[in-house]
Structure formats: structure tokens, C-alpha cells
Amino acid sequence: MRAWGRAAAALLALVTSGTFAGAADNYPNKPIRMIVSIAAGSVTDVIMRAAGTEMQQRLGQALVIENNGGASGILAANSCAQAAPDGYTICVIYHSTMSFNPLLFSNLPYNADTDFVPVARLFFLVEGLFASSAINVNSVDELKKLAQGKPDGLNYATLGEGSYPDLFLKWMNNQWGTKIVGIPYRGGGPAAQALAANDVQVTRFGVGNFTPLVEAGKVKALAVTSAKRSPVLPNVPTFKEVGWGEYPGQGWWGLAAPKGTPPEIVAKLSSEFQKLFSDPKFEQFLEKQAVVPAATDSAGFAAFLKQDRKDAETLIKIANTVKTEFKN
């Protein structure tokens, strides 16, 4: 029986391997659904739509964008985890999806460690602290004085409880002794519009969401997270220059697939996205969106995710945040 069992297992492995290889050879033969964990119009959405156009030429099939923003990426991640693992659903994920949510929520509807196959890390965000032009602040110090003078009188845009912007808000409130209130939005684009309308007065998001509004004088950039001043906002100081140089973590975005997606298909997708995000012309486009290209293969992304989870633990401790129950 044991010999028969081993023979059956070997036969199954052979058949499965052949099936995967055949699937990869013919893949893709229909449009691919791409779940993006952010609202339409946000800088990541803009980037992935541009990537989708380029990838259609490379793969011969359309990438159909499905935006599912808000709730710190939980809704999109759950949708991805439940999708068929056939290579025709791929998922644009970020730091909240894989690193922060498992540490912050006790009942996630998905398992970040077992429900996904890492495909490729794509880019790092250059983020910034922005303020509404309706409030009279032109620097981080002026914002601090205003917030301390009216500790519960300012609103701040987040991506929901436990999101990266939300953790930074908690840290900032702890540092300053203030009570700036977090208001959830589905992405950087909606948050930017809310800031321009003075529905919120301050936020931290990717720079690319805000540069047109900064240029139009509707919002003010107070600091950026990059090691050097951003060429997009050359007159804006870095976090290090304003005294926040030790704040850990960096926002990133990458690509995953549902667990069980054939490895040959994962490898093909990873290779094509790495080529695109390393292409000099596409890199120029990315730099104009104020992001840093950082493409890796599947194994490199998996290793990065382990380290990023450790960095998330450090940030959560600094933000003095405890694990809570996720409520949809």
C-alpha cells in the first residue's frame, strides 16, 4: 500500500507539473483581473493602470482594474484570497495588507502568511506630510503649535484604523500630546481632495497624490520621507530635517496572487513585471509619480515581507497601538 501510495503521489505530481507547464505555455488566453487595494485616482491606481496598458502589449491580454480601497486593504486582500488560483486574478498589495494588519487585528478574514503567493515587489512610496492651505501653517513646527493650541480641533485623513497614515497620526499625537482626529478615506486621491476642501486639515500620503494641488496652492507640503529632498518638491524639507529621521518604515506596493496559483504562472508574471518596472522609460514615469522603482522576484519579495513585518512591530510599539477586533 505504501508503494502504491508513493507511485500515486509521483503520478499526481507528474500530471500536476504537466498541467502547470501547459497552463504557463498558453497563459494568458483571456483578460486578467487586477485587484487594486486603493481608490481610483490615487497614485498607485494611476501607476497600475499605466502598467496594465504596458503589460497588455507584453502579455497579449488586458489587465482589468478592480479598485477595492479602504479598511486598510482588508477588503481587497480578502477578495484576493478567495479568488480562483488560476493566474487570472492578481492583487496589488501594500504594507498594511501583509505587515501591519496581522499585528493590529485579531480576526482578519484572510491570512497574510498562507493565503497569498508573493509575485514581485514593485516600488516604494515617497510620502509627505501635507496641510490644508485653509489653516495658517507653513512648517511642521507651526502645525505642532496649532495642534497643541486646539488639541481636538484638527482632522487627519487616513486609510482606516491601523493603516500606515493612521499609525503615523497616533505616533504624532503621542509625540505632541494632541488629539488630532483620524477620518478614513479609500485612497490618497480622495484624501487629497478632502484636504484641498479643508474637510481634513492634515495627512500623510504618497507625494504623487498631492503635487498638482501643491502647485495650485490648494495644499501645503510640510515634509517628505525621502532620504534627500524630492526633485518633485525640492523646497520641502525631509523628515530628517524636521527632526523625524528615526521614524521607521517605508510605504511599498507589490503584486501577489491567490495561494495555489501555478508556480510557472507566478514566475512568468514576476518576470514580466520586473522587466517593466526596470525599464528606463517606465522608471522615468514612476519618478514623476514620486515613487522609487524597487522590483524584485518572488523569492526576494517573500524575504522582504519577513523583514517588513519586523519593522511593522517596531512602528506599532512606537505608535503605542494595541491589537483590536476588525469590524467590517
Side-chain angles (χ1 to χ4, degrees):
M1 290 296 292
R2 291 181 179 177
W4 167 249
R6 288 195 296 270
L11 179 61
L12 177 61
L14 181 62
V15 171
T16 303
S17 175
T19 301
F20 284 172
D25 289 342
N26 298 322
Y27 175 84
N29 56 28
K30 62 180 181 179
I32 300 169
R33 172 193 183 204
M34 181 188 284
I35 301 174
V36 180
S37 307
I38 205 77
S42 301
V43 65
T44 297
D45 175 66
V46 171
I47 290 171
M48 296 316 300
R49 288 180 185 275
T53 300
E54 294 292 331
M55 291 302 293
Q56 182 170 357
Q57 299 177 15
R58 294 168 181 262
L59 295 175
Q61 291 290 338
L63 270 68
V64 181
I65 302 291
E66 180 181 305
N67 295 98
N68 196 348
S72 297
I74 294 173
L75 303 180
N78 188 44
S79 180
C80 177
Q82 295 179 0
D86 56 6
Y88 290 96
T89 295
I90 56 177
C91 317
V92 183
I93 58 173
Y94 66 124
H95 36 275
S96 287
T97 313
M98 307 300 286
S99 300
F100 292 96
N101 290 345
L103 301 172
L104 291 168
F105 299 104
S106 58
N107 61 332
L108 284 179
Y110 68 92
N111 188 312
D113 298 318
T114 61
D115 285 348
F116 310 104
V117 179
V119 175
R121 189 185 66 200
L122 299 178
F123 59 87
F124 287 109
L125 286 172
V126 176
E127 297 172 297
L129 185 71
F130 297 90
S132 168
S133 293
I135 61 175
N136 188 28
V137 300
N138 295 289
S139 68
V140 170
D141 283 342
E142 290 180 2
L143 176 63
K144 178 181 178 180
K145 291 177 183 177
L146 177 64
Q148 289 176 335
K150 45 189 304 185
D152 58 355
L154 297 178
N155 293 331
Y156 174 107
T158 76
L159 284 171
E161 183 71 21
S163 64
Y164 205 67
D166 179 65
L167 288 173
F168 183 78
L169 168 62
K170 288 181 169 64
W171 175 83
M172 192 165 61
N173 275 335
N174 289 338
Q175 294 288 307
W176 291 355
T178 54
K179 296 180 181 179
I180 303 171
V181 177
I183 307 295
Y185 290 87
R186 290 185 174 273
Q193 294 302 319
L195 192 69
N198 198 37
D199 294 333
V200 294
Q201 289 72 50
V202 62
T203 194
R204 172 184 169 162
F205 269 93
V207 166
N209 296 294
F210 294 84
T211 47
L213 295 172
V214 173
E215 292 169 357
K218 295 182 178 180
V219 303
K220 299 176 183 178
L222 305 182
V224 294
T225 60
S226 49
K228 298 180 179 179
R229 293 198 178 196
S230 169
V232 177
L233 296 171
N235 297 320
V236 178
T238 66
F239 268 40
K240 184 176 181 179
E241 288 179 279
V242 301
W244 287 343
E246 300 304 315
Y247 187 80
Q250 185 175 16
W252 57 264
W253 287 83
L255 197 67
K259 178 185 177 181
T261 300
E264 288 81 2
I265 288 179
V266 171
K268 183 171 185 176
L269 286 168
S270 181
S271 175
E272 291 299 333
F273 272 92
Q274 285 178 73
K275 290 175 185 176
L276 175 60
F277 278 75
S278 300
D279 180 271
K281 290 185 178 179
F282 200 71
E283 284 186 335
Q284 290 178 3
F285 162 75
L286 293 174
E287 289 168 1
K288 290 180 181 178
Q289 307 307 312
V291 304
V292 179
T296 66
D297 62 13
S298 179
F301 190 21
F304 168 80
L305 288 174
K306 291 181 179 180
Q307 182 59 50
D308 197 61
R309 181 77 62 80
K310 294 178 181 178
D311 293 341
E313 290 177 353
T314 300
L315 196 154
I316 288 168
K317 289 179 182 178
I318 290 174
N320 194 28
T321 301
V322 297
K323 204 166 191 176
T324 61
E325 182 179 352
F326 170 65
K327 297 179 181 179
N328 187 0

Coordinates of all heavy atoms in Angstrom, one line a residue, residues 234-266:
P234 N 11.3 70.2 -4.4 CA 12.7 70.5 -4.0 C 12.8 71.5 -2.8 O 13.8 71.5 -2.1 CB 13.4 71.0 -5.3 CG 12.2 71.6 -6.1 CD 11.1 70.7 -5.8
N235 N 11.8 72.2 -2.6 CA 11.8 73.2 -1.5 C 11.3 72.7 -0.2 O 11.2 73.4 0.8 CB 11.1 74.5 -1.9 CG 11.7 75.2 -3.1 OD1 13.0 75.2 -3.2 ND2 10.9 75.7 -4.0
V236 N 10.9 71.5 -0.2 CA 10.2 70.9 1.0 C 11.3 70.1 1.8 O 11.9 69.2 1.2 CB 9.0 70.0 0.6 CG1 8.4 69.4 1.9 CG2 8.0 70.8 -0.2
P237 N 11.4 70.3 3.1 CA 12.4 69.6 3.9 C 12.1 68.1 4.0 O 10.9 67.7 3.9 CB 12.4 70.3 5.2 CG 11.0 70.9 5.3 CD 10.7 71.3 3.9
T238 N 13.1 67.3 4.3 CA 12.9 65.9 4.6 C 12.4 65.7 6.0 O 12.6 66.6 6.9 CB 14.2 65.1 4.4 OG1 15.1 65.5 5.3 CG2 14.7 65.3 3.0
F239 N 11.9 64.5 6.3 CA 11.6 64.1 7.7 C 12.8 64.3 8.6 O 12.7 64.7 9.8 CB 11.0 62.7 7.8 CG 9.6 62.6 7.7 CD1 8.9 63.4 6.8 CD2 8.8 61.7 8.4 CE1 7.5 63.3 6.6 CE2 7.5 61.6 8.3 CZ 6.8 62.4 7.4
K240 N 14.0 63.9 8.1 CA 15.2 64.1 8.9 C 15.4 65.5 9.3 O 15.8 65.9 10.4 CB 16.4 63.5 8.2 CG 17.7 63.4 9.0 CD 18.8 62.7 8.2 CE 20.1 62.7 9.1 NZ 21.1 62.0 8.3
E241 N 15.2 66.4 8.3 CA 15.5 67.8 8.5 C 14.6 68.4 9.6 O 14.9 69.4 10.3 CB 15.4 68.6 7.2 CG 16.5 68.3 6.2 CD 16.3 69.1 4.9 OE1 15.5 68.6 4.1 OE2 16.9 70.2 4.8
V242 N 13.3 67.9 9.7 CA 12.4 68.4 10.7 C 12.5 67.6 12.0 O 11.6 67.9 12.9 CB 11.0 68.4 10.1 CG1 10.9 69.3 8.9 CG2 10.4 67.0 9.9
G243 N 13.4 66.7 12.1 CA 13.6 66.0 13.4 C 12.9 64.7 13.5 O 12.8 64.1 14.6
W244 N 12.4 64.1 12.4 CA 11.7 62.8 12.4 C 12.5 61.8 11.7 O 11.9 60.8 11.2 CB 10.3 63.0 11.7 CG 9.3 63.7 12.5 CD1 9.4 64.0 13.9 CD2 8.1 64.3 12.1 NE1 8.3 64.7 14.3 CE2 7.4 64.9 13.2 CE3 7.5 64.3 10.8 CZ2 6.2 65.5 13.1 CZ3 6.2 64.9 10.7 CH2 5.6 65.5 11.9
G245 N 13.8 61.9 11.7 CA 14.6 61.0 10.9 C 14.6 59.5 11.4 O 15.0 58.6 10.7
E246 N 14.3 59.3 12.7 CA 14.3 58.0 13.3 C 13.0 57.3 13.1 O 12.9 56.1 13.6 CB 14.7 58.1 14.7 CG 16.1 58.7 15.0 CD 17.2 58.0 14.2 OE1 17.2 56.7 14.2 OE2 18.0 58.7 13.6
Y247 N 12.0 57.9 12.6 CA 10.7 57.2 12.4 C 10.9 56.1 11.4 O 11.3 56.3 10.3 CB 9.6 58.2 11.9 CG 8.3 57.6 11.9 CD1 7.5 57.6 13.1 CD2 7.7 57.1 10.8 CE1 6.2 57.0 13.1 CE2 6.4 56.6 10.8 CZ 5.7 56.5 11.9 OH 4.4 56.0 12.0
P248 N 10.5 54.8 11.8 CA 10.8 53.7 11.0 C 9.8 53.4 9.9 O 8.7 53.9 9.9 CB 10.8 52.5 12.0 CG 9.8 52.9 13.0 CD 10.0 54.4 13.1
G249 N 10.2 52.6 9.0 CA 9.2 52.1 8.0 C 9.2 53.0 6.7 O 9.5 54.1 6.7
Q250 N 8.8 52.3 5.6 CA 8.6 53.0 4.4 C 7.5 52.3 3.6 O 7.5 51.1 3.5 CB 9.9 52.9 3.5 CG 9.9 53.7 2.2 CD 11.2 53.7 1.5 OE1 12.1 52.9 1.8 NE2 11.4 54.6 0.6
G251 N 6.6 53.1 3.0 CA 5.5 52.5 2.3 C 5.9 51.9 1.0 O 6.8 52.4 0.3
W252 N 5.3 50.7 0.7 CA 5.7 50.0 -0.5 C 4.4 49.4 -1.1 O 3.4 49.2 -0.5 CB 6.7 48.9 -0.2 CG 6.3 47.9 0.8 CD1 6.5 47.9 2.2 CD2 5.4 46.8 0.6 NE1 5.9 46.9 2.8 CE2 5.2 46.1 1.9 CE3 4.8 46.2 -0.5 CZ2 4.4 45.0 2.1 CZ3 4.0 45.1 -0.3 CH2 3.8 44.5 1.0
W253 N 4.5 49.0 -2.4 CA 3.5 48.3 -3.1 C 4.1 47.1 -3.9 O 5.2 47.2 -4.4 CB 2.7 49.2 -4.0 CG 1.8 50.2 -3.3 CD1 2.2 51.4 -2.7 CD2 0.5 50.1 -3.0 NE1 1.1 52.0 -2.1 CE2 0.0 51.2 -2.3 CE3 -0.5 49.1 -3.3 CZ2 -1.3 51.4 -1.9 CZ3 -1.8 49.3 -2.9 CH2 -2.2 50.4 -2.2
G254 N 3.3 46.0 -4.0 CA 3.8 44.9 -4.7 C 2.6 44.1 -5.3 O 1.5 44.5 -5.2
L255 N 3.0 42.9 -5.8 CA 2.0 42.1 -6.5 C 2.0 40.7 -5.9 O 3.0 40.1 -5.6 CB 2.4 42.0 -8.0 CG 1.3 41.6 -9.0 CD1 0.2 42.6 -9.1 CD2 1.9 41.3 -10.4
A256 N 0.7 40.2 -5.7 CA 0.6 38.8 -5.1 C -0.5 38.1 -6.0 O -1.2 38.7 -6.8 CB 0.2 38.9 -3.7
A257 N -0.6 36.8 -5.7 CA -1.6 36.0 -6.3 C -2.2 35.1 -5.3 O -1.6 34.8 -4.2 CB -1.1 35.2 -7.5
P258 N -3.5 34.6 -5.5 CA -4.0 33.7 -4.5 C -3.2 32.4 -4.3 O -2.6 31.9 -5.3 CB -5.4 33.3 -5.1 CG -5.7 34.4 -6.1 CD -4.4 34.9 -6.6
K259 N -3.2 31.9 -3.1 CA -2.4 30.6 -2.8 C -2.9 29.5 -3.8 O -4.1 29.4 -4.0 CB -2.7 30.2 -1.4 CG -2.0 28.9 -1.0 CD -2.4 28.5 0.4 CE -1.8 27.1 0.7 NZ -2.2 26.7 2.1
G260 N -1.9 28.8 -4.3 CA -2.3 27.7 -5.3 C -2.1 28.1 -6.7 O -2.2 27.2 -7.6
T261 N -1.8 29.4 -7.0 CA -1.6 29.8 -8.4 C -0.4 29.0 -8.9 O 0.7 29.0 -8.2 CB -1.3 31.3 -8.4 OG1 -2.5 32.0 -8.0 CG2 -1.1 31.7 -9.9
P262 N -0.4 28.4 -10.1 CA 0.7 27.6 -10.6 C 2.0 28.4 -10.6 O 2.1 29.6 -11.0 CB 0.3 27.3 -12.0 CG -1.2 27.3 -11.9 CD -1.6 28.4 -11.0
P263 N 3.1 27.8 -10.0 CA 4.3 28.5 -9.9 C 4.9 29.0 -11.2 O 5.6 30.0 -11.3 CB 5.3 27.4 -9.3 CG 4.6 26.1 -9.4 CD 3.1 26.4 -9.5
E264 N 4.6 28.3 -12.3 CA 5.1 28.7 -13.6 C 4.5 30.0 -14.0 O 5.1 30.9 -14.6 CB 4.9 27.7 -14.7 CG 5.8 26.5 -14.6 CD 5.3 25.5 -13.5 OE1 4.3 25.7 -12.9 OE2 6.0 24.4 -13.3
I265 N 3.2 30.2 -13.7 CA 2.5 31.4 -14.0 C 3.0 32.5 -13.1 O 3.2 33.7 -13.6 CB 0.9 31.2 -13.8 CG1 0.4 30.3 -15.0 CG2 0.2 32.5 -13.8 CD1 -1.1 30.0 -14.9
V266 N 3.2 32.2 -11.8 CA 3.8 33.2 -10.9 C 5.1 33.7 -11.4 O 5.4 34.9 -11.5 CB 3.9 32.6 -9.5 CG1 4.7 33.6 -8.6 CG2 2.5 32.4 -8.9

